[in-house]
Amino acid sequence: MSTIASVSLDRPLEDIARDLGESFAEYGFAIVRDHGVPDDLIARAEEASRAFFALPEETKRAYKIEGIGGARGYTPFGQEQAKDAEVFDLKEFWHVGRDLPADHPLARFMEPNVWPAEVPEYEATMRELYLALEASGRRVLSAIAIHLGEDPRFFDPAIEDGNSVLRLLRYPPLPEDAPDGAIRAAPHGDINAITMLLGAEEAGLELLTKKGEWLAVSPPPGALAVNIGDMLERLTNGRLRSTTHRVVNPRGDAVRRARYSMPFFLHFRPDYLIDPLPSCITQGEEASAPEPILAHDFLMQRLREIKLA
């Protein structure tokens, strides 16, 4: 496959499974059109996100919750640092997670959401976007399951009540005093199963190819950039790639503009055992496959590496 696949989720999944799977195997990325998230919802979410980030610094910082690694609420500019990076990323963000009733067996893994009182429409809009992106992600995973030779509903129980996170992101205009080498998002891989990214139309997102070259990921307006995370790479024994990617600093007039995006990190359930699929292990090479690990343990291991836990 010479280019990143671009597929329509309107088509029967059997028709797109191969293109998606091959693109994820080669690049770790694909472009998904007709994903079912309504345009007006995306527009409302971006408006609400911009309204929050426009608030005074001290107002935003009131929503920073200590001791939970940024799992919910606000993470200020300069806080997150990619694994092995020397300097922090040039971004600020807000996290929305799943709400579970207190007596749910998985509730202890998920912090309660907080909502900015200053932006009244924020809560309803982001809850709606969370569910819409989750539904779209479930369809992408069904196509992946077909590509792997599994039942289309194979991943449904794995993500039921999963610890998925919607991130509202703002990359401010480039500060003149940014540390040497700082970029909007340093090279990193995602921890989760798959990431669905809204707002990648503006230049900046790049993936690292197998040849070690940086390749721009440029979805058409309204489309999603979808990429494989470490959890799914581990489950497929590396058959699907969790590709290193970054967001580079803009040039020209864009230096003076903020960049906004809305990635949805689709996670497995915390108690899901990531045990490499037998179909992805070559006979005789069982010993080299990764050890089984619970999704929550894997997540905490990775969060410690990026200084969020």
Side-chain angles (χ1 to χ4, degrees):
M1 175 168 283
S2 57
T3 57
I4 300 168
S6 178
V7 303
S8 166
L9 272 193
D10 259 355
R11 293 178 59 198
L13 295 182
E14 291 75 12
D15 295 353
I16 63 170
R18 183 176 172 182
D19 282 353
L20 262 185
E22 289 182 355
S23 193
F24 287 140
E26 178 64 28
Y27 296 105
F29 273 78
I31 306 299
V32 171
R33 311 183 312 277
D34 310 316
H35 43 69
V37 184
D39 289 344
D40 76 301
L41 173 57
I42 296 169
R44 282 187 285 122
E46 182 165 315
E47 197 175 322
S49 176
R50 285 173 182 262
F52 171 75
F53 288 120
L55 294 171
E57 189 68 21
E58 63 273 18
T59 306
K60 291 188 288 190
R61 281 183 178 270
Y63 294 102
K64 181 180 187 298
I65 306 166
E66 297 300 335
I68 62 166
R72 301 290 183 269
Y74 179 60
T75 296
F77 179 80
Q79 193 93 15
E80 190 175 58
Q81 192 163 321
K83 182 185 173 187
D84 302 328
E86 309 248 320
V87 290
F88 57 77
D89 287 348
L90 306 178
K91 66 190 181 194
E92 56 180 329
F93 54 90
W94 180 283
H95 274 166
V96 176
R98 188 181 306 283
D99 287 310
L100 291 176
D103 60 351
H104 191 287
L106 297 177
R108 66 192 174 92
F109 295 107
M110 299 183 209
E111 299 291 334
N113 279 302
V114 295
W115 304 103
E118 296 79 2
V119 187
E121 68 279 14
Y122 200 89
E123 178 178 355
T125 304
M126 298 314 176
R127 285 186 188 280
E128 191 180 344
L129 183 62
Y130 185 104
L131 293 175
L133 284 166
E134 183 174 49
S136 183
R138 187 178 288 115
R139 196 159 164 75
V140 171
L141 283 174
S142 291
I144 290 172
I146 292 168
H147 175 71
L148 294 172
E150 305 289 346
D151 183 273
R153 302 186 71 86
F154 173 78
F155 286 106
D156 286 3
I159 63 169
E160 186 68 33
D161 296 328
N163 198 10
S164 300
V165 173
L166 170 63
R167 172 180 284 188
L168 293 313
L169 250 176
R170 177 179 179 266
Y171 303 100
L174 225 53
E176 288 181 17
D177 61 350
D180 284 349
I183 64 172
R184 285 182 158 174
H188 65 283
D190 290 345
I191 302 169
N192 43 296
I194 58 172
T195 300
M196 326 273 291
L197 176 62
L198 277 169
E201 299 95 320
E202 187 167 334
L205 178 63
E206 298 179 344
L207 68 85
L208 192 62
T209 67
K210 287 179 178 176
K211 293 178 181 173
E213 299 163 345
W214 288 105
L215 177 68
V217 183
S218 308
L224 289 166
V226 180
N227 64 277
I228 301 296
D230 296 345
M231 290 183 180
L232 196 51
E233 178 181 76
R234 191 178 181 108
L235 185 71
T236 62
N237 193 32
R239 182 168 160 189
L240 303 182
R241 296 181 66 215
S242 175
T243 309
T244 297
H245 52 286
R246 66 184 183 181
V247 179
V248 295
N249 296 336
R251 299 188 180 94
D253 288 347
V255 169
R256 294 187 287 277
R257 279 202 311 270
R259 183 183 198 266
Y260 297 84
S261 66
M262 299 183 282
F264 181 75
F265 301 108
L266 197 152
H267 278 262
F268 294 136
R269 297 166 57 97
D271 59 356
Y272 177 70
L273 187 67
I274 304 172
D275 190 2
L277 297 171
S279 61
C280 296
I281 301 172
T282 306
Q283 198 169 356
E285 295 184 8
E286 293 84 358
S288 62
E291 289 290 312
I293 185 171
L294 286 173
H296 178 72
D297 293 341
F298 185 77
L299 172 64
M300 296 314 293
Q301 185 180 303
R302 284 290 196 268
L303 288 177
R304 284 191 290 273
E305 290 171 352
I306 59 171
K307 300 182 169 53
L308 281 181

